[in-house]
Amino acid sequence: MSRANALQGFGTLVRSELSVLFRRRRTWAMLATIACIPLFLAIAVQLSGSTIPPGEGPPFLDRVSQNGLFVGFTAMILAIPLFLPLTMGVVAGDTIAGEANTGTLRYLLVAPVSRVRLLVVKFIGASAFAIAATTTLMVTGILIGLILFPVGPVTLLSGDVISIPAALLRIALVAFYVTISLMGLAAVGLFISTLTVIPVGAMAATVVVSTVSQILATLPQLQVIHPYLLTYNWLGFADLLRAPMDFHSMGINALIQLSYIVIFGSAAYSRFTTKDILS
């Protein structure tokens, strides 16, 4: 097969994977649930009818009523510990185990589709969901913020004031930062998904990995391993809300996530390429 035909076949496989993923009711139900986070947050702040003292509640919560653009930032902080890892666990855990469970995995591989190519396509699909999830949360936050609260120049953590276009750029960077974070978890889920034919088990195990990582990050006795934990730098996007922007945390987080992608991607490759496909 020529390189052009191979690329065309790969592109077709990616489009098919994305089409299947985003035609599922489950996918849209999860995105709708994610969209409810900034919606409920903004409504709760609006109905409270009082100014929240600084330091009360999640970071940026006291700024939501003053500037609607902070709805997205606050909702992202609320979603990162549980909601986003939960939805990513569902998608990533289903990548291979779901195909095996429904009996379509064998037919995919005799299409013919190489196992390595199938793993890459499944990871791309999970990453696409991560992009959709973070974008949905931020866009919903912006829209509900515009409706319920005044919107104007944003005061950063450093005390500097930036224009609305500059704030929207930082919102996009925060969404990109969190997307990168979820891609590391997607690789973990992809590997776990190669170990079983029960998708629910793979989904649950992926979420457990995220939860355990967050618990370990709170234990001072394990401080030496904190920088290497999957979730340790997930909230480092606060550095993007200063002037000038500090990309150090983003770089460190990207490096950690890339390491997890390489390690667990290799483990998935090793497991999947030597696995007997019986279903």
Side-chain angles (χ1 to χ4, degrees):
M1 181 183 296
S2 68
R3 178 173 296 182
N5 289 336
L7 289 176
Q8 183 178 6
F10 180 76
T12 300
L13 193 60
V14 170
R15 288 192 296 271
S16 175
E17 176 68 18
L18 296 180
S19 176
V20 170
L21 175 63
F22 288 102
R23 282 205 313 263
R24 287 175 176 165
R25 293 181 180 179
R26 180 181 67 193
T27 300
W28 289 103
M30 290 190 295
L31 292 177
T33 301
I34 290 171
C36 287
I37 298 172
L39 181 63
F40 290 158
L41 168 68
I43 292 175
V45 172
Q46 178 68 19
L47 293 179
S48 68
S50 59
T51 302
I52 300 173
E56 291 290 330
F60 310 123
L61 183 62
D62 58 302
R63 304 191 185 195
V64 167
S65 60
Q66 304 167 27
N67 194 327
L69 292 180
F70 279 100
V71 173
F73 293 130
T74 309
M76 187 67 79
I77 292 173
L78 291 174
I80 284 179
L82 177 61
F83 294 103
L84 289 176
L86 179 61
T87 55
M88 178 52 66
V90 171
V91 173
D94 189 59
T95 48
I96 301 297
E99 300 283 3
N101 184 258
T102 57
T104 57
L105 184 57
R106 185 192 305 179
Y107 297 103
L108 276 175
L109 296 177
V110 299
V113 177
S114 72
R115 299 191 184 197
V116 175
R117 183 176 298 180
L118 182 60
L119 283 175
V120 172
V121 167
K122 291 296 184 180
F123 179 74
I124 290 175
S127 299
F129 177 82
I131 295 172
T134 56
T135 301
T136 296
L137 190 149
M138 281 304 200
V139 170
T140 305
I142 292 172
L143 293 178
I144 193 65
L146 286 170
I147 294 171
L148 296 183
F149 305 107
V151 172
V154 172
T155 302
L156 301 174
L157 297 178
S158 58
D160 300 86
V161 178
I162 60 174
S163 65
I164 293 178
L168 292 176
L169 171 62
R170 293 178 189 243
I171 287 174
L173 287 173
V174 168
F176 178 66
Y177 184 104
V178 177
T179 298
I180 292 175
S181 300
L182 294 177
M183 289 173 69
L185 183 61
V188 174
L190 179 65
F191 165 64
I192 295 174
S193 190
T194 65
L195 302 177
T196 179
V197 297
I198 304 175
V200 174
M203 296 172 188
T206 304
V207 177
V208 167
V209 168
S210 169
T211 303
V212 169
S213 177
Q214 294 181 68
I215 293 174
L216 294 179
T218 66
L219 301 178
Q221 296 86 348
L222 301 177
Q223 188 173 3
V224 65
I225 69 170
H226 285 176
Y228 307 103
L229 293 174
L230 174 68
T231 61
Y232 185 68
N233 293 287
W234 277 11
L235 292 175
F237 60 76
D239 289 340
L240 299 174
L241 305 179
R242 308 180 192 276
M245 282 190 286
D246 186 354
F247 290 96
H248 179 71
S249 293
M250 176 178 278
I252 294 296
N253 183 53
L255 185 60
I256 292 296
Q257 302 308 321
L258 179 61
S259 299
Y260 275 87
I261 292 171
V262 171
I263 292 171
F264 284 92
S266 300
Y269 166 79
S270 177
R271 167 63 178 169
F272 193 52
T273 54
T274 58
K275 178 181 181 181
D276 291 331
I277 306 301
L278 304 176
S279 59

